Amino acid sequence: MKTLAVTGGIGSGKSYVVRMFAAMGVPVYDADSRAKGLYASDAELMTVLKELLGDRLVKDGVLDRQYMASRIFSDRELLERVESVVFPRVTADFCRWKKFQEDRQGVPGFVIMESAIYLEKPALEGTADKVLTVVCPQEVRVERVMQRSSLTKDQVLERMANQWSDGRRTELSDFTIVSDFRHPLLPQVWEVFMKMNTDF
């Protein structure tokens, strides 16, 4: 069974595109959500993270994500050390999940790993057979994020500045879907769906 990594910047419409694939019966692994689940279920992972970030990482028995973010996003070296611990476990979890999907009946010939940072993180490289990037004009992305969150325009732009550009992602991708309200999504999704099931 093949794997399609679906990625894209904040506000690109990536998650909406993934839901369209899911409606076609494609199993979806949300890397971000699964990583959060590992924080709660993987005791060994939490022990290592506490060694890196200190006992304040756990508050009332639960990982303090705000504290974790405040530590790692202001210290690139620490961020890389945390990622070197977390990503191999996410990859292993994905492999277990994919094996479960392969054993099911009636599943299409591929699964999806949804990850905004798939191309940006070498630790995830090689997990997928093909990569799809969802792109969208910046002004539309900013509007989308502001509508669904409490972030200001400047805050959204700051987050975008810390992510790869659409151009950089598409250069390394096998497929591109434009999610801008002008290009119909269903034909684009269907084309990728068919290619993933027939081309290789």
Side-chain angles (χ1 to χ4, degrees), residues 60-128:
D60 299 325
V62 179
L63 180 135
D64 187 336
R65 293 180 59 81
Q66 189 171 3
Y67 171 75
M68 182 175 180
S70 71
R71 290 290 312 279
I72 64 179
F73 291 121
S74 60
D75 186 334
R76 178 165 294 276
E77 182 180 346
L78 184 58
L79 172 62
E80 290 175 353
R81 291 172 67 190
V82 168
E83 289 179 342
S84 72
V85 172
V86 174
F87 285 148
R89 282 174 164 78
V90 172
T91 301
D93 182 64
F94 170 76
C95 290
R96 288 190 295 269
W97 173 88
K98 183 179 177 181
K99 178 66 170 63
F100 172 78
Q101 302 304 324
E102 289 172 338
D103 293 340
R104 294 172 60 202
Q105 298 295 318
V107 175
F110 71 103
V111 297
I112 284 175
M113 172 186 271
E114 179 184 358
S115 172
I117 57 174
Y118 179 83
L119 290 172
E120 301 175 35
K121 302 302 178 182
L124 297 175
E125 187 177 355
T127 307

Side-chain angles (χ1 to χ4, degrees), residues 42-53:
D42 190 332
E44 183 181 344
L45 172 61
M46 288 305 302
T47 298
V48 176
L49 290 177
K50 283 174 69 175
E51 290 174 359
L52 288 172
L53 300 170

Side-chain angles (χ1 to χ4, degrees), residues 166-190:
D166 282 347
R168 189 174 180 186
R169 287 194 193 91
T170 55
E171 284 180 3
L172 298 173
S173 299
D174 302 283
F175 309 110
T176 301
I177 284 180
V178 181
S179 171
D180 62 356
F181 302 118
R182 297 192 312 176
H183 297 76
L185 279 176
L186 184 56
Q188 298 181 78
V189 171
W190 180 251

